[in-house]
Amino acid sequence: MTSNRAVAYKGPGVVEVIDTPYPEFELKDGPGVNPANVGRDVRHGAILRTVSTNICGSDQHMVRGRTTAPSDLVLGHEITGEVIEVGPDVEFIKVGDIVSVPFNIACGRCRNCKERKTGICLNVNPDRPGSAYGYVDMGGWVGGQAEFVLVPYADWNLLAFPDRDQALEKILDLTMLSDIFPTGFHGAVTAGVGVGSTVYIAGAGPVGLAAAAGAQLLGAAVVVVGDLNEERLAQARSFGCETVDVSKGDPGEQLEQLLGVPEVDCAVDAVGFEARGHGADASHEAPATVLNSLMTVTAAGGGLGIPGLYVTGDPGGIDDAAKEGSLSLRLGLGWAKSLSFATGQCPVMKYHRGLMMAILHDKVQIAKAVNATPITLDEAPQGYADFDAGAAKKYVINPNGYIAA
């Protein structure tokens, strides 16, 4: 049997490259696999040789020990691959296709999938709607930071690129289609970004930068990105964004200096539950800070897109409320200003093909925007450490040598 190597979570702050079973068309028992999913027949699936698989900020929450992820969970939900085997129920996806894998696992059959709500599929996670590869409490589908990975419901889930050579030439852009580009774009769309909008994006990590690129693609007049990390703010400026340093205080005053008013039309939270305070409190975790700040700086009638991750269980939360995902939000302020809120997993398929076409036809350079940086599978643990330390890079793991040096 073919061997397989993968990146696994070992404990807080520790990831290692391990030997792991080669995929089969059946979901086997293993770390994090929901007992009700063990033995699940995946005749509708495909086995991929991984072309690229990215380290995500969502992975970092697990690696920091901020979830209930078990040891030896194989990580990775941002996957691009080459199809090398298909199950007997696969009709349209072919061996040899280069494909993008939405991080949402969806059946294509349930009510939510039929309504394009693929982030909350009802049939792939026995515990609750929604699933993802290599992620805690998501059903136990094995992650893709590996040499090989199984994708269920292949005809439904996989987006095949039209030309192999073109795909491999643009792979650093196309690899962002599995998660962060649609996720950031979804944040901008749900916030209401349109032609002429002024937009504030909290967080200059890869999702925030993807949201900024998405806002530009949607026609925003001004995109302002806020963060504590100057290197990441410089990355935002590199493709035409304005920036604010929230270590200097709440963003309103800095927004007024940039825009003439202390408010924006719409805003995106690309930070999530490990948010820190602003100004003098920047060294302390304060998980409601970003959401409350965005309600303050968004004009009445505006919208907040919230692709930043919030969890129902956080062992490292600052208090008992935070440990169960309960935050002290100024909901009264949001209500008084008639703000709209959109949360949850991005339904990747809603945007998948359109953003692919934007990449293939050179309407956006998402790899440049997020500073895509290829590394080998063996370099993944160091990549995790560097990303956690604040590197302004999007690490793209190249486990099978598809990405040229």
Side-chain angles (χ1 to χ4, degrees):
M1 181 179 290
T2 305
S3 63
N4 193 16
R5 300 170 70 234
V7 180
Y9 169 71
K10 303 296 286 187
V14 182
V15 297
E16 293 180 4
V17 178
I18 65 169
D19 293 320
T20 193
Y22 183 82
E24 301 179 42
F25 292 106
E26 178 184 322
L27 188 53
K28 305 286 189 178
D29 195 11
V33 179
N34 190 299
N37 260 352
V38 174
R40 188 166 178 159
D41 191 359
V42 193
R43 294 166 56 88
H44 43 69
I47 295 172
L48 309 185
R49 180 185 293 114
T50 305
V51 172
S52 59
T53 177
N54 315 326
I55 297 175
C56 181
S58 298
D59 297 321
Q60 289 285 19
H61 294 306
M62 288 187 290
V63 172
R64 293 184 188 121
R66 298 298 295 267
T67 71
T68 56
S71 179
D72 288 324
L73 181 76
V74 172
L75 301 167
H77 56 270
E78 299 190 9
I79 308 163
T80 306
E82 179 176 8
V83 178
I84 59 171
E85 189 176 353
V86 296
D89 289 350
V90 175
E91 186 175 359
F92 303 110
I93 289 293
K94 305 300 183 187
V95 170
D97 284 346
I98 303 293
V99 296
S100 179
V101 185
F103 80 90
N104 322 115
I105 302 171
C107 72
R109 296 154 166 81
C110 70
R111 172 181 174 174
N112 284 351
C113 283
K114 290 180 178 181
E115 294 178 351
R116 302 180 77 194
K117 302 172 185 174
T118 53
I120 43 175
C121 173
L122 300 173
N123 288 332
V124 289
N125 183 355
D127 281 343
R128 63 181 189 224
S131 186
Y133 303 89
Y135 213 87
V136 61
D137 296 333
M138 287 291 188
W141 299 92
V142 179
Q145 288 176 11
E147 293 171 325
F148 302 94
V149 63
L150 171 69
V151 173
Y153 303 103
D155 281 328
W156 171 250
N157 282 304
L158 296 178
L159 175 69
F161 300 133
D163 181 88
R164 178 189 180 90
D165 291 340
Q166 183 188 35
L168 293 176
E169 180 183 343
K170 291 181 174 287
I171 193 61
L172 287 180
D173 292 287
L174 294 171
T175 191
M176 305 306 164
L177 288 173
S178 58
D179 182 357
I180 67 161
F181 194 16
T183 292
F185 191 78
H186 178 64
V189 168
T190 54
V193 177
V195 175
S197 297
T198 57
V199 188
Y200 175 63
I201 296 169
V207 170
L209 297 174
Q216 291 174 339
L217 194 61
L218 288 164
V222 184
V223 179
V224 184
V225 180
D227 205 289
L228 300 161
N229 182 323
E230 174 52 35
E231 184 181 357
R232 290 182 171 180
L233 291 175
Q235 182 62 29
R237 291 191 293 271
S238 75
F239 61 100
C241 299
E242 301 288 348
T243 59
V244 299
D245 182 349
V246 295
S247 71
K248 297 178 180 178
D250 288 331
E253 183 177 336
Q254 295 176 70
L255 286 172
E256 186 167 20
Q257 292 172 358
L258 291 168
L259 304 173
V261 292
E263 293 182 322
V264 290
D265 298 322
C266 35
V268 177
D269 174 3
V271 177
F273 74 101
E274 288 193 66
R276 294 188 173 275
H278 293 164
D281 295 326
S283 61
H284 304 294
E285 191 167 305
T289 298
V290 169
L291 290 171
N292 286 330
S293 173
L294 295 192
M295 284 190 279
T296 301
V297 303
T298 303
L304 274 63
I306 309 173
L309 177 67
Y310 289 86
V311 295
T312 56
D314 173 13
I318 59 171
D319 53 34
D320 289 341
K323 288 177 181 178
E324 63 175 21
S326 296
L327 308 181
S328 298
L329 297 181
R330 294 191 65 193
L331 191 58
L333 175 63
W335 189 94
K337 295 176 75 173
S338 295
L339 301 177
S340 62
F341 302 79
T343 66
Q345 286 189 35
C346 164
V348 170
M349 277 194 217
K350 187 174 182 179
Y351 310 104
H352 216 186
R353 185 179 182 277
L355 293 179
M356 175 190 76
M357 294 298 286
I359 289 170
L360 294 180
H361 293 277
D362 299 318
K363 299 302 182 185
V364 64
Q365 294 181 305
I366 187 63
K368 183 177 179 182
V370 302
N371 196 14
T373 304
I375 59 176
T376 67
L377 189 69
D378 288 317
E379 291 172 326
Q382 187 60 51
Y384 268 96
D386 292 345
F387 187 38
D388 190 50
K393 297 178 180 180
K394 176 67 173 178
Y395 288 106
V396 178
I397 301 172
N398 178 27
N400 289 302
Y402 282 86
I403 302 173

